[in-house]
């Protein structure tokens, strides 16, 4: 069972509504941590230390993980967290989670000769090397990252005993990674069997056009040299047939357009909704341009994403 968690703000509730009415319904649970409660979209006011500001994201995300631990630890097996500008494909998230659970289970059985054991903490996402210490890596927050129940428990225990500094900082993804990495839990390589990418730092259009001659925030030469994770796939090889997330490109769109982006991605995956609206709740006219949908869907089908 999968809990999808996003961090947001009241001036972004239009986007949260788009999420709640599209991929959010395909999660087993959905919550949006905000500064204002709106139960109609799964948003609630989450109290945390410090101001409600991007520069204080680490304190907000700490409280999100504590909330998940306090209220949902035994109800869900996996927890994925992202911003409100990330599109998630829950079906593929579950598929990736099952793959790693199975791989770890087989490994543990070989080591322990078939004895029963508790699953180890697992931390999955899009790997990025630290700029100043490329021997270590973290799961980038833009693409979202996911923890299993054991990792959520470990993270909260370490925060509670002061092993993860309680400071005002925006780099929550790096803070989580350090907290877990210091306990021996590293961000897993989540590329698929063909070394194609599942967690995407930016949108589908960016990755489908990217080549190694262009800049890459995932620092692919260091990712390959220090971690053996391929990061220089060109164009459609950037997109796995089990892609899990896309971080919508803030440089190309405004707030309202990112809202339409969520619905547009969902429409590509669910073309039948263009005739009837999104499950009877959302008008699809603005998002279901037939010619564009046909073109984009063909591209995605070539990669066997849907």
């Amino acid at each position: 069972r999968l809990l999808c968690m996003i961090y947001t703000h009241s001036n972004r509730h239009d986007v949260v509504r788009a999420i709640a009415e599209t991929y959010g319904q395909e999660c087993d649970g959905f919550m949006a941590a905000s500064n204002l409660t709106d139960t109609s979209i799964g948003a609630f006011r989450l109290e945390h230390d410090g101001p409600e500001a991007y520069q204080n994201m680490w304190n907000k995300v700490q409280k999100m993980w504590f909330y998940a631990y306090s209220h949902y630890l035994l109800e869900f097996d996996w927890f994925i967290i992202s911003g409100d500008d990330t599109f998630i494909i829950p079906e593929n998230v579950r598929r990736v989670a099952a793959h790693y659970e199975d791989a770890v289970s087989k490994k543990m059985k070989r080591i322990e000769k078939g004895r029963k054991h508790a699953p180890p903490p697992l931390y999955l996402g899009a790997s990025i090397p630290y700029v100043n210490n490329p021997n270590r890596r973290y799961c980038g927050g833009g693409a979202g990252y996911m923890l299993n129940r054991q990792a959520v428990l470990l993270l909260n225990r370490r925060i509670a005993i002061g092993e993860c500094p309680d400071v005002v900082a925006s780099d929550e993804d790096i803070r989580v990674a350090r907290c877990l990495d210091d306990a021996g839990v590293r961000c897993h390589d989540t590329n698929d069997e063909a070394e194609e990418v599942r967690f995407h730092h930016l949108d589908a259009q960016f990755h489908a056009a990217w080549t190694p001659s262009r800049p890459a925030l995932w620092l692919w030469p260091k990712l390959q040299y220090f971690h053996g994770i391929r990061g220089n796939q060109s164009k459609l090889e950037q997109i796995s047939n089990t892609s899990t997330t896309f971080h919508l490109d803030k440089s190309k769109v405004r707030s309202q357009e990112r809202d339409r982006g969520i619905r547009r991605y969902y429409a590509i995956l669910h073309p039948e909704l263009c005739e009837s609206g999104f499950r009877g709740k959302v008008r699809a006219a603005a998002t279901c341009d037939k010619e564009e949908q046909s073109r984009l869907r063909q591209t995605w089908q070539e990669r066997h994403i849907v």
Side-chain angles (χ1 to χ4, degrees), residues 174-190:
I174 293 177
R175 302 283 171 172
V176 167
R178 287 175 178 168
C179 193
L180 292 173
D181 200 1
D182 288 344
V185 180
R186 173 179 280 195
C187 175
H188 272 270
D189 169 16
T190 54

Side-chain angles (χ1 to χ4, degrees), residues 81-126:
I81 190 170
S82 71
D84 57 24
D85 55 355
T86 299
F87 184 82
I88 295 173
I89 307 174
E91 178 184 357
N92 285 346
V93 171
R94 293 187 187 93
R95 184 176 289 113
V96 170
H99 168 78
Y100 281 91
E101 285 177 341
D102 184 60
V104 169
S105 177
K106 289 179 180 178
K107 180 179 180 181
M108 294 300 293
K109 285 180 179 179
R110 288 197 300 270
I111 294 173
E112 300 185 10
K113 298 181 180 179
R115 289 183 297 172
K116 290 185 178 181
H117 56 85
L122 292 173
Y123 168 40
L124 311 179

Side-chain angles (χ1 to χ4, degrees), residues 53-274:
Y54 176 76
Q55 292 74 17
N56 193 41
M57 189 60 70
W58 168 227
N59 273 319
K60 183 168 184 172
V61 167
Q62 280 189 76
K63 287 299 186 288
M64 289 178 67
W65 284 118
F66 180 72
Y67 192 91
Y69 162 78
S70 302
H71 294 82
Y72 300 122
L73 186 65
L74 299 181
E75 187 175 345
F76 298 97
D77 306 295
W78 284 89
F79 304 76
I80 186 167
I81 190 170
S82 71
D84 57 24
D85 55 355
T86 299
F87 184 82
I88 295 173
I89 307 174
E91 178 184 357
N92 285 346
V93 171
R94 293 187 187 93
R95 184 176 289 113
V96 170
H99 168 78
Y100 281 91
E101 285 177 341
D102 184 60
V104 169
S105 177
K106 289 179 180 178
K107 180 179 180 181
M108 294 300 293
K109 285 180 179 179
R110 288 197 300 270
I111 294 173
E112 300 185 10
K113 298 181 180 179
R115 289 183 297 172
K116 290 185 178 181
H117 56 85
L122 292 173
Y123 168 40
L124 311 179
S127 295
I128 305 177
Y130 292 108
V131 174
N132 297 324
N133 185 6
N135 284 298
R136 300 179 72 177
R137 65 178 188 259
Y138 65 99
C139 291
Y145 56 91
M146 53 193 290
L147 306 181
N148 68 351
R149 181 184 299 143
Q150 291 71 26
V152 173
L153 179 60
L154 175 64
L155 178 64
N156 277 280
R157 284 176 173 170
R158 289 182 58 77
I159 290 173
I161 62 175
E163 295 293 337
C164 310
D166 188 10
V167 297
V168 174
S170 62
D171 55 349
E172 56 85 17
D173 49 1
I174 293 177
R175 302 283 171 172
V176 167
R178 287 175 178 168
C179 193
L180 292 173
D181 200 1
D182 288 344
V185 180
R186 173 179 280 195
C187 175
H188 272 270
D189 169 16
T190 54
N191 285 359
D192 67 14
E193 295 81 358
E195 297 187 311
E196 295 175 342
V197 180
R198 288 181 169 125
F199 287 80
H200 299 276
H201 300 286
L202 293 168
D203 59 45
Q205 291 87 343
F206 175 91
H207 287 285
W210 186 85
T211 67
S213 63
R214 299 173 61 187
L217 59 84
W218 56 96
L219 306 175
W220 69 263
K222 292 181 179 180
L223 191 63
Q224 293 187 179
Y225 181 81
F226 290 98
H227 302 278
I229 300 174
R230 188 183 174 202
N232 66 338
Q233 304 91 321
S234 293
K235 299 185 177 181
L236 288 179
E237 290 183 3
Q238 276 272 322
I239 302 176
S240 169
N241 62 358
T242 52
S243 289
T244 55
T245 67
F246 291 93
H247 184 201
L248 306 190
D249 190 352
K250 297 173 185 167
S251 67
K252 294 180 182 178
V253 291
R254 297 185 295 276
S255 176
Q256 186 179 2
E257 291 173 325
R258 285 204 298 277
D259 180 7
R260 290 201 304 271
I262 293 289
R263 292 187 173 96
R264 187 179 299 278
Y265 273 57
Y266 197 75
I268 292 170
L269 291 171
H270 301 274
E272 70 280 2
L273 299 177
C274 288

